């Protein structure tokens, strides 16, 4: 409002100045300072000019007033805005001050709580320090007591040793041997305790998992197995064919044996001859050759050689086809042709009466099932199991074990290093380093040790059972030994007054170790030590 008053005052002053200026202008135009008496026309002109000047001054004053009002409104709005912002700022400052006061109060409370916790912790630490001091004092007393007891035990042991030497009349070497034996037995007992604890922990989950995997693998793979031998029988249409096979002065039979490398046995068996050879491929080739000659009826040295060459090519094709069929059955691809041929040759090879090619296919199926249960590479594990006995195709031609021969062959024909390692380690000739090698060993053992898979001669079987019983009977405290389940389990009965539970565990481990070192057997043998205590009384 003060600004409006000032503007109006300025406008009034300006209007007065305009009127004075108009009078001065009129006086100058007339040329008189004090007119004696103007004429009406002059007065009208002066009046018109004055009115015009007044109107222009009024308009200018109005414009100045309007501008002043507008400027005053803008100034007023700005002042109101500044007042509102100042009020907002004051509220914000007050709110921040309130928040700061609250935070300060909370910080003060938190600080007090921390100080209380620190005080409690210091108190607990002081109590713990006192307990530790008391514990250290008790430990020192216990150590002193243990040292005294140790010295007393040493004195007792010395007196015992003196008494033993005096009573038994033992020499120093004998006493040392007795002491070493006692320490060894004690160490075995302690080791057996530790091993039993570890095994009990591992068996809880390991046995369930292993039994599940092996059971699934065995249940899903069930194959027939027939026993084979090193002799093939060929049936003849009649006994007169035997004379034609022998030929004049034995010419044909000598030519046949020299060409095929197979012994031809002609005895009194009606309408049959025997072919004997350790090489199954060669024996099968000779059988096909003789079969072609018998069907043709013309038997002489030249025909024998021709039939042998045709049979040899036919057996080679059969071997390749058998190897390819095995790969198709297992879903394995991209194998070197020489390996496929060697696999097919195992069709005519047996091990303890078990066909080797069927054994390899069965082992590959089992290994694949176990690999799937363990979420491993099924194709790689099946490949390892299929090729683990590939060396048996050349054991009669190359020196060395079939595991090392097979590993060298697989390496030569570009197989993966894990496959090579599984082949060379499946009989522990090389330390096992991979899971695939372990699964290969397990599949080989399952396929070879299942009931009906393999056979052995009666004499070797009886000798193995006798040796098993002798090994178990040789240990102190053993009362009776029974070989059970066709030699797959040994039941050892011990005298409870001479053998305790820990010693029974030690005997079981020692027997198993000695059996592993001395005997050769398929699968595994279970050693069971039975310690039984009986108390008998009579009521009269």
């Amino acid at each position: 409002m003060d600004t409006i008053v000032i503007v109006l005052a300025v406008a009034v002053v300006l209007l007065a100045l305009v009127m004075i200026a108009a009078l001065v202008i009129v006086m100058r135009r007339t040329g008189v300072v004090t007119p004696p008496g103007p004429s009406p026309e002059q007065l009208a002109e002066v009046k018109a000019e004055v009115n015009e000047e007044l109107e222009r001054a009024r308009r200018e004053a109005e414009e100045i007033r309007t501008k002043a009002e507008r400027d005053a409104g803008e100034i007023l709005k700005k002042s109101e805005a500044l007042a509102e912002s100042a009020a907002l700022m004051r509220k914000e400052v007050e709110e921040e001050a309130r928040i700061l006061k609250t935070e300060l109060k909370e910080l003060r409370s938190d600080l007090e709580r921390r100080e209380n916790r620190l005080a409690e912790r210091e108190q607990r630490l002081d109590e713990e320090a006192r307990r530790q001091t008391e514990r250290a004092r008790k430990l020192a007393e216990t150590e002193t007591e243990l040292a005294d007891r140790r010295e007393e035990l040493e004195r007792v042991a010395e007196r015992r040793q003196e008494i033993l030497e005096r009573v038994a009349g033992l020499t120093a070497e004998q006493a040392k041997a007795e002491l070493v034996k006692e320490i060894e037995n004690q160490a075995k007992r302690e080791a057996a305790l530790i091993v039993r604890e570890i095994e009990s922990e591992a068996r809880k989950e390991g046995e369930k998992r292993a039994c599940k995997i092996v059971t699934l693998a065995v249940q899903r793979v069930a194959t027939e197995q027939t026993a084979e031998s090193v002799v093939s029988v060929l049936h003849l249409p009649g006994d007169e064919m035997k004379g034609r096979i022998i030929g004049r002065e034995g010419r044909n039979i000598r030519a046949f044996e020299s060409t095929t490398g197979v012994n031809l046995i002609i005895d009194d068996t009606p309408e049959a001859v025997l072919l004997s050879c350790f090489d199954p491929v060669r024996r099968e080739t000779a059988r096909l050759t003789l079969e072609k000659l018998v069907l043709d009826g013309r038997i002489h040295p030249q025909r024998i050689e021709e039939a042998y060459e045709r049979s040899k090519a036919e057996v080679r094709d059969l071997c390749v086809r058998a190897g390819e069929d095995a790969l198709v059955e297992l879903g394995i691809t991209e194998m070197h042709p020489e390996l496929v041929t060697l696999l097919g040759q195992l069709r005519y090879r047996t091990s303890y009466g078990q066909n080797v090619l069927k054994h390899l296919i069965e082992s590959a199926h089992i290994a694949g099932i176990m690999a799937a249960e363990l979420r491993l590479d099924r194709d790689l594990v099946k490949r390892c199991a299929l090729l683990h006995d590939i060396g048996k195709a050349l054991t009669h031609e190359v020196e060395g074990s079939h595991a090392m021969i097979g590993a060298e062959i697989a390496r030569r024909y570009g197989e993966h290093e894990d496959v090579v390692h599984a082949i060379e380690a499946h009989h522990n000739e090389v330390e096992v380093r991979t899971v695939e090698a372990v699964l290969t060993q397990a599949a080989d053992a399952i396929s070879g040790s299942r009931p009906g898979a393999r056979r052995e001669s009666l004499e070797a079987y009886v000798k193995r059972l006798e040796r098993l019983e002798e090994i178990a009977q040789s240990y102190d405290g053993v009362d009776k030994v029974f070989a059970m389940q066709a030699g797959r389990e040994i039941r050892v009965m011990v005298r409870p007054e001479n053998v305790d539970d820990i010693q029974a565990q030690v005997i079981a481990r020692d027997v198993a170790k000695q059996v592993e070192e001395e005997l050769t057997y398929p699968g595994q043998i279970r050693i069971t030590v039975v310690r039984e205590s009986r108390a008998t009384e009579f009521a009269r």
Side-chain angles (χ1 to χ4, degrees):
M1 296 299 295
D2 295 338
T3 306
I4 295 173
V5 172
I6 294 171
V7 171
L8 292 177
V10 172
V12 172
V13 172
L14 289 175
L15 183 60
L17 290 175
V18 169
M19 292 178 66
I20 294 171
L23 291 176
V24 172
I25 291 171
V26 171
M27 292 175 66
R28 285 181 179 176
R29 286 181 179 179
T30 56
V32 252
V33 178
T34 52
S39 64
E41 291 81 3
Q42 290 177 347
L43 289 175
E45 290 177 1
V46 170
K47 186 178 180 180
E49 289 178 1
V50 169
N51 290 334
E52 184 178 354
E53 290 294 333
L54 287 173
E55 185 66 25
R56 187 169 60 253
R58 188 179 297 106
R59 287 196 301 272
E60 290 179 357
E62 186 66 25
E63 290 177 359
I64 291 171
R65 186 180 62 80
T66 303
K67 183 177 180 182
E69 290 178 353
R70 187 171 60 251
D71 293 340
E74 291 177 356
I75 293 170
L76 184 60
K77 289 179 180 180
K78 289 180 180 180
S79 62
E80 290 177 355
L82 289 174
E84 291 178 358
S85 62
L88 290 175
M89 289 180 64
R90 185 179 62 187
K91 289 181 179 179
E92 290 177 358
V93 170
E94 291 177 353
E95 183 67 20
E96 289 180 359
R98 187 182 61 79
I99 292 172
L100 289 175
K101 288 180 180 179
T102 304
E103 291 179 354
L104 183 60
K105 186 181 296 183
E106 291 177 356
L107 289 174
R108 187 179 292 109
S109 301
D110 190 16
L111 183 60
E112 291 177 356
R113 287 194 299 271
R114 290 186 179 183
E115 289 178 353
N116 294 332
R117 285 199 298 270
L118 287 175
E120 293 176 357
R121 186 175 298 176
E122 288 179 358
Q123 185 177 359
R124 287 197 300 270
L125 289 175
D126 292 340
E127 293 176 357
E128 184 66 23
R130 287 194 297 271
R131 286 197 297 270
Q132 292 294 336
T133 304
E134 182 67 19
R135 188 178 300 173
R137 184 183 62 77
K138 291 182 179 179
L139 285 175
E141 294 177 355
T142 305
E143 288 179 356
T144 305
E145 184 179 356
L146 288 175
D148 296 339
R149 289 186 180 181
R150 190 180 298 111
E151 292 178 358
E152 184 178 355
L153 288 174
E154 289 177 357
R155 289 193 298 271
V156 171
E158 290 176 358
R159 288 198 301 271
R160 178 188 175 190
Q161 185 174 357
E162 293 174 358
I163 294 171
L164 286 174
E165 289 179 355
R166 184 172 60 254
V167 173
L170 297 176
T171 62
E173 289 79 8
Q174 292 174 343
K176 185 182 293 184
E178 186 72 21
L179 183 60
V180 168
K181 185 177 180 180
E182 183 180 353
I183 294 173
E184 182 180 356
N185 289 333
Q186 184 179 358
K188 285 184 177 181
R189 289 168 61 87
E190 293 177 356
L193 282 173
I194 296 173
V195 169
R196 189 168 63 179
E197 292 177 359
I198 295 173
E199 286 180 350
S200 64
E201 292 293 331
R203 283 198 191 100
K204 290 181 181 178
E205 294 296 330
E207 285 186 358
K208 294 180 182 178
R209 183 68 172 166
C211 289
K212 179 182 177 182
I213 293 173
V214 173
T215 304
L216 289 175
V218 174
Q219 286 178 348
R220 293 176 61 182
V221 179
T223 59
E224 268 185 67
Q225 198 65 51
T226 58
E228 301 182 15
S229 62
V230 296
V231 177
S232 297
V233 179
L234 179 66
H235 295 281
L236 303 176
D239 287 338
E240 68 276 2
M241 185 60 69
K242 293 182 179 180
R244 300 175 65 180
I245 293 174
I246 296 173
R248 183 180 298 175
E249 298 178 356
R251 180 184 64 173
N252 292 343
I253 191 172
R254 286 196 301 272
F256 182 86
E257 290 181 348
S258 63
T259 301
T260 61
V262 175
N263 294 328
L264 184 59
I265 303 172
I266 301 176
D267 53 14
D268 296 335
T269 306
E271 298 180 356
V273 294
L274 300 178
L275 295 94
S276 176
C277 180
F278 71 92
D279 188 346
V281 178
R282 192 188 306 168
R283 187 174 68 250
E284 179 66 15
T285 306
R287 190 190 66 81
L288 292 176
T289 302
L290 187 57
E291 186 178 23
K292 293 181 187 305
L293 292 172
V294 170
L295 291 175
D296 185 51
R298 296 174 296 171
I299 304 176
H300 52 81
Q302 185 177 358
R303 291 288 299 167
I304 290 173
E305 292 180 0
E306 293 175 359
Y308 176 72
E309 292 298 329
R310 291 198 304 270
S311 300
K312 191 175 180 180
E314 184 177 346
V315 170
R316 188 183 302 111
D317 294 339
L318 289 174
C319 291
V320 174
R321 191 177 304 118
E324 292 174 349
D325 291 342
L327 295 182
V328 171
E329 180 179 349
L330 296 171
I332 296 176
T333 58
E334 297 181 0
M335 185 173 288
H336 197 279
E338 291 296 329
L339 290 177
V340 177
T341 303
L342 291 175
L343 273 177
Q345 291 179 7
L346 293 176
R347 171 188 180 184
Y348 303 104
R349 177 71 185 265
T350 61
S351 176
Y352 293 97
Q354 185 181 27
N355 185 277
V356 177
L357 181 57
K358 292 181 180 179
H359 163 64
L360 293 180
I361 295 173
E362 184 178 347
S363 300
H365 280 304
I366 294 172
I369 293 170
M370 292 190 292
E373 290 291 330
L374 296 173
R375 294 180 177 84
L376 300 176
D377 188 349
R378 288 187 60 188
D379 295 335
L380 178 61
V381 176
K382 288 166 69 174
R383 201 178 189 97
C384 295
L386 179 64
L387 296 176
H388 79 272
D389 277 343
I390 193 71
K392 288 185 177 180
L394 297 176
T395 50
H396 57 284
E397 299 177 6
V398 182
E399 293 292 333
S401 65
H402 72 275
M404 303 309 295
I405 294 172
E408 183 61 30
I409 294 172
R411 185 179 289 108
R412 183 188 309 165
Y413 292 122
E415 286 296 323
H416 194 275
E417 189 61 32
D418 289 341
V419 178
V420 175
H421 173 66
I423 295 173
E424 66 184 2
H426 78 275
H427 281 317
N428 290 318
E429 296 180 36
V430 175
E431 184 181 357
V432 178
R433 300 190 304 270
T434 62
V435 180
E436 290 80 8
V438 175
L439 291 181
T440 301
Q441 286 183 336
D444 182 27
I446 293 171
S447 175
S449 61
R450 66 176 178 80
R454 296 185 176 183
R455 63 175 177 82
E456 57 184 340
S457 65
L458 179 61
E459 183 180 359
Y461 170 71
V462 172
K463 287 183 178 180
R464 180 161 61 86
L465 294 185
E466 290 177 351
R467 183 55 185 158
L468 286 174
E469 293 184 353
E470 289 176 1
I471 291 174
Q473 194 70 49
S474 64
Y475 286 85
D476 296 334
V478 175
D479 186 16
K480 298 177 183 179
V481 178
F482 302 100
M484 308 174 67
Q485 296 184 5
R488 298 301 177 91
E489 181 179 358
I490 304 174
R491 195 71 58 86
V492 182
M493 314 296 291
V494 297
R495 290 185 289 273
E497 63 273 9
N498 297 335
V499 179
D500 58 8
D501 291 338
I502 305 302
Q503 189 65 25
Q505 185 72 26
V506 173
I507 290 175
R509 290 191 172 277
D510 291 344
V511 171
K513 185 177 180 181
Q514 188 172 354
V515 169
E516 289 177 357
E517 293 174 352
E518 295 186 10
L519 298 181
T520 301
Y521 48 89
Q524 62 183 9
I525 298 176
R526 185 177 186 179
I527 314 298
T528 303
V529 177
V530 179
R531 179 180 179 269
E532 182 180 15
S533 298
R534 295 186 181 183
T536 305
E537 291 291 341
F538 295 94
R540 294 181 176 86

